Amino acid sequence: MTEHDQGFSDPPPSLLSRFVRWIILWVYRWKGWQLEGGLPDTRKFVIAGAPHTSNWDFVFFVGATEKLGIKPSFMGKNTLFKWPMTRFMLDMGGVPVDRSKRANYVDQIAAEYARRDELALVIAAEGTRGSNGEWRSGFYHIAQAAGVPIVPAWVNNRTMQLGFGPAITPSGDYAADLGKIADYLLSKVPDEPRYKQLAAQVKRLKEASDD
């Protein structure tokens, strides 16, 4: 039985979080970004986005998911959720992760998926803006542990477009599944260097598995 079933509900968003979210959505519309594609008809999934080249990336994804009626979530160190930032971080979609616990962050996020009725977690699969385009496997392990699909998300900064691809259920073959994602991203933005680097990473992973 959920809290809603028991007659309880989450507190309304704070004034600060509503104001910040309004600014984010205003900037998204002002920039003139165009959204292509929709999200899967499921209430729990991982959004694996790339390329991660700017701090504005989250703004774009907040705006895009808002148009689709989805509230995106993100992982953050649990120390960022301490008072007086607790309510604000939760309102903005933050999911606290305790790196000091013996249980790894994958298990913590998987437990969060199990606890919630809805969760669309946005992960910058490259890890940092300074990445050469190769993806880290954390997003995959989270989706696999939680039993949820992965939705690849692409961005074209030149044409001011972004979109979401078809949901991919982790098969356990990381290289094969990553290859599906790379093929899709390259079909949307063929000249993106980081997508080409991702495809090269997939080739190396497949070659290594054949040895």
Side-chain angles (χ1 to χ4, degrees):
M1 180 178 291
T2 67
E3 289 183 347
H4 293 283
D5 292 330
Q6 296 175 24
F8 297 98
S9 60
D10 293 331
S14 66
L15 179 61
L16 176 60
S17 63
R18 282 183 287 167
F19 179 67
V20 170
R21 190 171 182 82
W22 180 86
I23 291 177
I24 288 175
L25 296 176
W26 181 85
V27 170
Y28 172 81
R29 298 185 185 102
W30 174 66
K31 286 283 190 179
W33 281 84
Q34 298 297 316
L35 173 64
E36 179 181 314
L39 288 168
D41 186 21
T42 181
R43 301 168 75 181
K44 301 180 184 182
F45 49 93
V46 169
I47 299 175
H52 179 35
T53 58
S54 168
N55 284 327
W56 290 102
D57 293 344
F58 187 69
V59 172
F60 306 150
F61 283 112
V62 168
T65 52
E66 171 77 13
K67 293 186 68 172
L68 297 172
I70 299 294
K71 180 181 178 182
S73 293
F74 61 93
M75 293 184 291
K77 294 181 180 179
N78 64 319
T79 52
L80 299 175
F81 291 76
K82 293 183 177 181
W83 188 90
M85 298 300 293
T86 307
R87 186 72 257 163
F88 173 77
M89 292 294 291
L90 295 174
D91 287 346
M92 296 304 296
V95 178
V97 175
D98 187 353
R99 293 282 187 170
S100 67
K101 284 188 174 181
R102 296 184 65 181
N104 64 36
Y105 78 97
V106 171
D107 294 334
Q108 293 179 56
I109 298 299
E112 196 67 23
Y113 269 102
R115 186 182 72 82
R116 299 194 188 192
D117 293 328
E118 300 181 5
L119 183 56
L121 187 68
V122 178
I123 299 178
E126 295 169 331
T128 67
R129 298 192 306 278
S131 166
N132 65 355
E134 293 191 359
W135 283 26
R136 299 181 179 180
S137 60
F139 78 97
Y140 189 85
H141 295 309
I142 288 174
Q144 192 171 31
V148 300
I150 299 163
V151 176
W154 57 274
V155 175
N156 188 331
N157 290 294
R158 181 174 53 83
T159 63
M160 303 292 283
Q161 292 177 302
L162 71 161
F164 303 98
I168 296 173
T169 300
S171 66
D173 187 334
Y174 178 57
D177 293 340
L178 195 63
K180 294 177 183 177
I181 294 173
D183 288 344
Y184 169 75
L185 295 177
L186 279 170
S187 74
K188 305 308 298 184
V189 194
D191 58 349
E192 171 54 54
R194 292 200 180 191
Y195 294 165
K196 294 178 181 179
Q197 182 63 34
L198 175 61
Q201 178 187 3
V202 170
K203 183 180 179 180
R204 289 193 298 273
L205 287 172
K206 290 182 176 180
E207 290 174 347
S209 65
D210 291 338
D211 292 342

